[in-house]
Amino acid sequence: MAATRRQHRGFTLVELVMVIVVTAALAVVALPRLMDLGAWRLQAWADELTTEMAAMQRLALQQRRPIVASLTSTGVSFAYASGGNLRSLPCPAATSPCLAESGPRSITFNSGNSGRAVSSTGAALSVTVAHGSSSRSFVIEHETGLFRPAS
């Protein structure tokens, strides 16, 4: 009689140990980064700020009315130059202050109905979105009002 061999299905001990080692390595390296929700919130806020700056610039040109963006360490507010608030974009609650600025600054989109942007400093404004170890730098161009990442 020929001995029949039974096939066993499953993982070997070596394979199981390797899965545990890889999982542990990911937990040590990736998990702390994923759990840092402050960095994620800050990234989302910086993206929202980029969108709002472009939207307010377009709105100023469409309505032919100057709009002032006021930047402080706790957020950004938008208002018509002649008065009347439009929108406020405060820092996320867990990451306030989120703008590393040396005091309040502003930029006026469509200044004097000329289509130009004029900053309170008379030059390009640097904007650093930062909290803890996370930071992103942007520049608001004088004359054009373009809000872009700093190079």
Side-chain angles (χ1 to χ4, degrees):
M1 293 193 192
T4 60
R5 203 178 221 202
R6 288 180 19 193
Q7 273 191 330
H8 294 282
R9 292 182 172 217
F11 297 105
T12 65
L13 183 60
V14 172
E15 290 170 331
L16 289 174
V17 168
M18 288 306 295
V19 167
I20 291 170
V21 167
V22 169
T23 305
L26 283 174
V28 167
V29 174
L31 197 57
R33 252 187 107 91
L34 291 175
M35 297 310 286
D36 182 16
L37 296 179
W40 289 101
R41 283 187 192 107
L42 199 62
Q43 174 69 33
W45 191 85
D47 292 343
E48 188 175 0
L49 178 61
T50 302
T51 303
E52 284 298 320
M53 284 290 192
M56 290 300 137
Q57 184 178 23
R58 281 192 309 272
L59 183 65
L61 293 172
Q62 287 172 349
Q63 293 185 353
R64 294 184 176 96
R65 294 174 70 181
I67 293 178
V68 178
S70 301
L71 296 98
T72 64
S73 62
T74 58
V76 180
S77 61
F78 301 96
Y80 289 113
S82 59
N85 291 334
L86 283 171
R87 177 155 163 62
S88 181
L89 190 61
C91 295
T95 58
S96 187
C98 62
L99 290 175
E101 305 304 329
S102 60
R105 297 179 301 156
S106 65
I107 186 155
T108 304
F109 298 115
N110 194 21
S111 176
N113 288 328
S114 65
R116 294 179 42 218
V118 177
S119 66
S120 58
T121 62
L125 292 179
S126 62
V127 178
T128 304
V129 178
H131 185 76
S133 63
S134 302
S135 72
R136 283 183 68 189
S137 296
F138 297 94
V139 173
I140 305 174
E141 295 294 342
H142 183 67
E143 295 284 330
T144 63
L146 177 66
F147 187 82
R148 64 172 178 83
S151 52

